[in-house]
Amino acid sequence: MNCKYETIDILKCIGICISLMILIIFVIVIIVISNTNEEKDILTTIAVEGDNTQLGTTTIRFSQNDIVVGNALTHEEGSDTIAINEEGIYQISYQLFGIKEGAGSFNFNAVLLVNDASVDTTFNDGPVLEDIVNNRLTLTSTVILRLNAGDTLKLAGVSIEDITYEKARMDIEKID
């Protein structure tokens, strides 16, 4: 037996094993890095009774920020304006609860405003209720909008009647 050749073969095997282990570690690191979930940008803001006392058509003020994740969206509690800090595609869901004391016709609608201009494709047309004593209704909607950095977003209740908007909620997520 020639020990010289056996030593070279063993060293080759060790070198191949080390190379394979390095390659496997490299592949695992690449997979972990590529599968790391980016933090979402989310804002959930809530209006409670007393936040919105103006009747009829008005923008909705939100007194509570329930969830704030990331920097793409900002809202100052008590304000009706949500600031868009990053360009992107946003999913916006809202619920708007309206009430009118007394009987008679009852109707209100909702719309999203971008830079204080209504976005017609977001107009949520509520039903007209006639001669109902308990005039209460919640409008809900989910829309997806492309927004730019520097844009502002508002939710508005729209009515010619004396509707009070006692509760509201907006959930916004940057999806791209």
Side-chain angles (χ1 to χ4, degrees):
M1 270 197 171
N2 191 343
C3 289
K4 178 179 173 186
Y5 292 114
E6 287 180 18
T7 304
I8 292 173
D9 289 340
I10 291 172
L11 291 176
K12 282 183 183 178
C13 285
I14 291 173
I16 290 171
C17 288
I18 290 173
S19 297
L20 282 174
M21 287 191 314
I22 290 171
L23 180 63
I24 290 170
I25 291 171
F26 179 74
V27 168
I28 290 171
V29 167
I30 294 297
I31 290 171
V32 168
I33 289 172
S34 66
N35 287 336
T36 302
N37 291 334
E38 292 182 25
E39 186 174 272
K40 302 281 184 180
D41 289 288
I42 299 172
L43 173 65
T44 296
T45 189
I46 298 171
V48 296
E49 191 172 347
D51 284 352
N52 296 287
T53 56
Q54 183 175 338
L55 301 175
T57 298
T58 186
T59 56
I60 305 302
R61 289 186 309 277
F62 297 93
S63 64
Q64 300 173 14
N65 291 337
D66 191 41
I67 300 171
V68 180
V69 178
N71 298 313
L73 302 152
T74 52
H75 173 257
E76 183 179 322
E77 291 181 339
S79 168
D80 63 354
T81 304
I82 296 165
I84 307 302
N85 302 321
E86 296 178 11
E87 179 181 333
I89 298 173
Y90 291 82
Q91 179 173 303
I92 304 157
S93 299
Y94 67 81
Q95 297 127 15
L96 180 59
F97 176 74
I99 185 169
K100 177 183 175 189
E101 296 299 326
S105 84
F106 174 75
N107 172 254
F108 76 93
N109 310 294
V111 68
L112 293 173
L113 308 175
V114 174
N115 301 324
D116 291 319
S118 66
V119 179
D120 293 337
T121 58
T122 69
F123 193 81
N124 188 349
D125 199 9
V128 176
L129 304 175
E130 295 288 340
D131 298 321
I132 305 291
V133 175
N134 189 5
N135 289 326
R136 301 168 190 270
L137 180 68
T138 301
L139 293 179
T140 62
S141 185
T142 299
V143 299
I144 296 175
L145 295 176
R146 181 180 302 279
L147 300 170
N148 298 308
D151 283 349
T152 59
L153 179 68
K154 296 179 183 181
L155 173 63
V158 180
S159 181
I160 60 171
E161 299 174 27
D162 292 338
I163 307 298
T164 303
Y165 305 101
E166 288 192 354
K167 298 180 227 168
R169 176 185 176 114
M170 284 184 69
D171 300 288
I172 307 167
E173 179 180 355
K174 183 175 186 240
I175 58 175
D176 187 31

